[in-house]
Amino acid sequence: MATDYYSVLGVGRDASQDQIKKAFRRLARELHPDVNPDPKTQERFKEINAAYEVLSDPQKKQVYDLGGDPLSQSGGAGGAGGFGAGFGNFSDIMDAFFGTASQRGPRSRTRRGQDAMIRLDVELSEAAFGTTKDIQVDTAVVCTTCSGEGAAPGTSAQTCDMCRGRGEVSQVTRSFLGQVMTSRPCPQCQGFGTVVPTPCPECAGDGRVRSRRTLTVKIPAGVDNGTRIQLAGEGEVGPGGGPAGDLYVEIHELPHAVFQRRGDDLHCTVTIPMTAASLGTKCPLETLDGMEDVDVRPGTQSGQSIPLHGRGVTHLRGNGRGDLIVHVEVQTPTKLDPEQEELLRRLAKLRGEERPQGQFQPGQQGLFSRLKDAFNGR
């Protein structure tokens, strides 16, 4: 009497391949000789292995359903040593114990494309306030001739006659485990299950071609060096006309002639003469917002900084802006004419070493004004 393989696995005759596989994995974990060494259990294990070998193979299953014996035709599972023949689904045994799912069946020709990245140069003002820019990208796009199918117009992909659409071929070898069936991707169709007899002349069967296109990118205010802006679906189209990856635009901020950026704050240096630092002055400065006068107070020392609040870079995340920090550099004259030298000597005599820095005695204010006029050539 022929063995009822469906009953061995505990499934109905209308069971799907997924149900058959789950039933086999459950029984394999229970009956494997390493788990249960009882001789009767080993015989039962051989039975479920043979049943799964037949029912998991569409061709063998068809022969069995028609009343034939597929195992006797292929050398079968009948009385080999070890774990018995039919241990051909070794990957499924490993899957049952270690949970590693082996991919079975043909693989898709359509796959997601890779992400792409380009670098975009921006000026400091563009980074501070945001802007929009047109960029040119050279990526793979769907082939318009074959619409991503890969076959020449008027033709289509055909089922592989070597693997009959399964995408893999199997062979039986003998090992210390007995007869072992191994599967590998079909060499004729590379595992796709189909072949393209007449590839598209435009894309050579890849389903995509390279093309240059223009995109408009919105640059948010406050971006900095290394900031990446993601444009979803604007990257490389995948093989077989698969979905496109993402495009990343990496910001590169160009150096500025006056300002140095530190976070969202800007820094610059202004040089003023000694007399202006002593008497105070208004120093004109071209900021990102336009011309402004920097108030230099009397007695300002070289190295001091003057903050202009809210004149820096816009915060990328949040409201407000950073500051503009103006660093003062006091310029000491290196060459003096006789009149300037005499004025400085008189100033030094009036100040006296005991006088605190930054305070004027009576008459010094006027002398500073004359020094200022002298240095300015008045």
Side-chain angles (χ1 to χ4, degrees), residues 154-376:
T155 68
S156 61
Q158 299 179 2
T159 302
C160 175
D161 56 9
M162 176 176 287
C163 66
R164 300 183 183 276
R166 296 178 58 199
E168 59 183 16
V169 292
S170 303
Q171 68 180 73
V172 178
T173 58
R174 295 190 62 84
S175 72
F176 69 96
L177 297 174
Q179 294 189 33
V180 178
M181 181 182 293
T182 57
S183 298
R184 59 187 177 89
C186 175
Q188 179 166 296
C189 65
Q190 286 76 51
F192 294 117
T194 59
V195 293
V196 181
T198 310
C200 171
E202 184 68 23
C203 65
D206 193 37
R208 56 182 182 168
V209 294
R210 300 205 69 82
S211 175
R212 177 167 293 183
R213 53 205 172 98
T214 301
L215 298 175
T216 300
V217 183
K218 182 179 180 180
I219 310 298
V223 294
D224 201 352
N225 268 322
T227 299
R228 291 184 179 180
I229 301 171
Q230 181 182 13
L231 302 180
E234 297 293 352
E236 300 276 350
V237 165
D246 298 333
L247 174 66
Y248 291 88
V249 180
E250 185 175 87
I251 299 299
H252 176 250
E253 186 179 290
L254 297 173
H256 194 272
V258 176
F259 302 116
Q260 297 82 46
R261 180 174 177 180
R262 301 175 192 170
D264 289 341
D265 292 335
L266 299 178
H267 295 256
C268 72
T269 300
V270 295
T271 302
I272 60 175
M274 179 185 66
T275 51
S278 300
L279 299 174
T281 186
K282 296 286 187 180
C283 181
L285 178 65
E286 183 69 36
T287 71
L288 296 182
D289 300 276
M291 188 66 70
E292 293 194 26
D293 287 331
V294 180
D295 186 14
V296 180
R297 295 184 178 181
T300 296
Q301 302 297 305
S302 188
Q304 284 187 234
S305 60
I306 304 170
L308 299 181
H309 299 294
R311 294 295 185 270
V313 176
T314 304
H315 299 313
L316 181 60
R317 296 176 180 85
N319 299 321
R321 295 168 58 183
D323 299 331
L324 171 58
I325 312 299
V326 181
H327 301 271
V328 178
E329 181 181 276
V330 178
Q331 186 178 45
T332 303
T334 56
K335 292 182 180 181
L336 300 174
D337 59 31
E339 180 183 2
Q340 293 170 344
E341 185 177 350
E342 176 60 26
L343 289 172
L344 284 177
R345 290 185 185 278
R346 290 175 57 190
L347 176 61
K349 184 176 180 180
L350 288 172
R351 284 175 59 86
E353 293 295 331
E354 73 283 359
R355 297 295 180 184
Q357 294 285 338
Q359 296 184 5
F360 296 113
Q361 295 187 44
Q364 287 183 343
Q365 181 71 45
L367 182 55
F368 264 110
S369 296
R370 293 198 299 276
L371 277 169
K372 183 177 181 181
D373 292 341
F375 288 141
N376 290 334

